[in-house]
Amino acid sequence: MSQPSPAHDDAPDGGDAEVGDTIVDWYAGAARDLPWRAPGTDPWAVLVSEVMLQQTPVNRVEPVWREWLARWPQAAALAAASPAEVIRAWGKLGYPRRALRLREAAVAITAQHAGRVPADVAELEALPGIGTYTARAVACFGHGQRQPVVDTNVRRVVARLVHGRAEAAPARATDLTDVAVLAPVDHDRAVRFSVAVMELGALVCVAGTPRCGVCPVRDRCAWRLAGSPAYEGPPRRVQRFAGTDRQVRGRLLDVLRTAAGPEAAAELAAVWTDDVQRARCVDSLLVDGLVVQTEDGRFALPD
Ligand code: SF4
């Protein structure tokens, strides 16, 4: 539930808020209709969406997010679930440690905040698995606060639009200020700006070749005004998936997620035959708390 805030609260002085206003106007006609953006979305629902979206595309997140909110509509409900239940419900979203961290956050919210997701950024950052980005996203999108919210997409937009660079630099301490000074002065528009600039990076100022021809701020873009200079940084790594430990961990976890009970090591060997890599991945799943070993040496999801 959004909480009312005074207009102009913490509004930065001397920024280029006109650019931000243009982006907000563009967003009004271009935004995707995503369920967690619906007016009045509960901060808990926003928090769940933000954790799921950290490393997984929107189209894969949406059905799982709906299932989670139907099953665990508040933090207290998730806090009462077992780790095995949340790992199963995470399905194939990837990076399943997020599921355990989200449950741990739900436990902390229930124990320390009477089941309500805090609105204070510092309190949010103190929750398990909640970092700079997610804390501000929840404060802004869930609680209606004016907050700079900087993800990869936003960092790329700012790199081009403000700094004239072809691609974003690694995360820097100045990222939040860079974004804050672009926000409109009006409180409600500043809140919308945080999601609008993210959407601009997701739909128009995309990685690789940006769609400058349809960009609402193309006439103000430092990179475009500089003649669209090529990227000159170090070569960018293309993330592969096939054959990685991440793929192996996913396969091993799939076996245990769909099993009726603990499985013998032979069942795991059936889905990945490289003994060394499989052993390494089983070990890391045990260390991460995603898998436990029974007294008779079989493997299972944690109770
Ligand atoms: S003009 Fe092109 S590079 Fe500049 S902000 Fe728009 S899409 Fe990005």
Side-chain angles (χ1 to χ4, degrees):
M1 197 71 68
S2 293
Q3 295 181 345
S5 300
H8 300 213
D9 55 334
D10 300 326
D13 296 325
D16 201 347
E18 193 186 317
V19 169
D21 268 317
T22 304
I23 293 174
V24 171
D25 289 341
W26 164 84
Y27 179 76
R32 290 169 293 176
D33 183 17
L34 302 177
W36 43 83
R37 290 181 183 166
T41 301
D42 184 82
W44 168 245
V46 171
L47 173 57
V48 174
S49 75
E50 289 299 337
V51 172
M52 289 182 172
L53 288 164
Q54 279 166 10
Q55 285 151 311
T56 309
V58 162
N59 60 337
R60 286 172 53 202
V61 164
E62 186 168 341
V64 182
W65 178 82
R66 289 186 186 282
E67 287 166 19
W68 273 55
L69 268 297
R71 187 169 177 181
W72 299 306
Q74 297 297 335
L78 182 63
S82 73
E85 284 178 290
V86 303
I87 294 169
R88 279 202 187 87
W90 194 254
K92 291 180 178 288
L93 289 184
Y95 298 102
R97 269 177 297 181
R98 289 181 292 168
L100 292 183
R101 298 295 271 169
L102 193 46
R103 179 182 169 278
E104 290 167 23
V107 169
I109 290 166
T110 305
Q112 298 162 20
H113 301 283
R116 284 190 289 278
V117 176
D120 179 75
V121 167
E123 289 183 346
L124 284 161
E125 285 181 331
L127 296 172
I130 306 299
T132 301
Y133 165 80
T134 308
R136 284 165 179 75
V138 172
C140 183
F141 309 147
H143 289 289
Q145 288 179 17
R146 179 189 191 106
Q147 290 286 348
V149 183
V150 183
D151 70 349
T152 308
N153 286 331
V154 174
R155 200 170 290 119
R156 183 173 58 251
V157 172
V158 171
R160 291 167 175 162
L161 177 64
V162 178
H163 300 297
R165 292 194 303 263
E167 291 295 341
R172 303 183 304 180
T174 51
D175 286 343
L176 294 176
T177 317
D178 282 350
V179 174
V181 297
L182 294 176
V185 174
D186 176 78
H187 173 87
D188 290 347
R189 287 178 68 81
V191 172
R192 271 204 300 289
F193 168 75
S194 287
V195 67
V197 68
M198 199 177 290
E199 192 77 334
L200 187 71
L203 301 181
V204 177
C205 196
V206 294
T209 307
R211 302 171 59 219
C212 302
V214 295
C215 179
V217 287
R218 59 187 175 278
D219 294 337
R220 303 289 303 275
C221 174
W223 182 69
R224 203 162 163 271
L225 293 172
S228 307
Y231 174 72
E232 290 181 339
R236 281 162 291 185
R237 285 189 303 140
V238 178
Q239 276 197 339
R240 67 186 176 93
F241 178 66
T244 59
D245 284 4
R246 194 155 74 81
Q247 183 187 27
V248 179
R249 283 164 54 101
R251 289 208 183 167
L252 299 174
L253 213 48
D254 270 351
V255 171
L256 303 180
R257 200 163 27 220
T258 52
E263 291 283 11
E267 298 300 326
L268 301 182
V271 296
W272 200 264
T273 55
D274 180 332
D275 292 340
V276 173
Q277 188 177 22
R278 189 180 65 255
R280 182 172 69 234
C281 291
V282 168
D283 277 349
S284 73
L285 288 169
L286 289 166
V287 168
D288 287 344
L290 289 160
V291 170
V292 293
Q293 195 160 18
T294 58
E295 284 184 4
D296 62 2
R298 293 181 296 163
F299 297 94
L301 298 182
D303 289 332

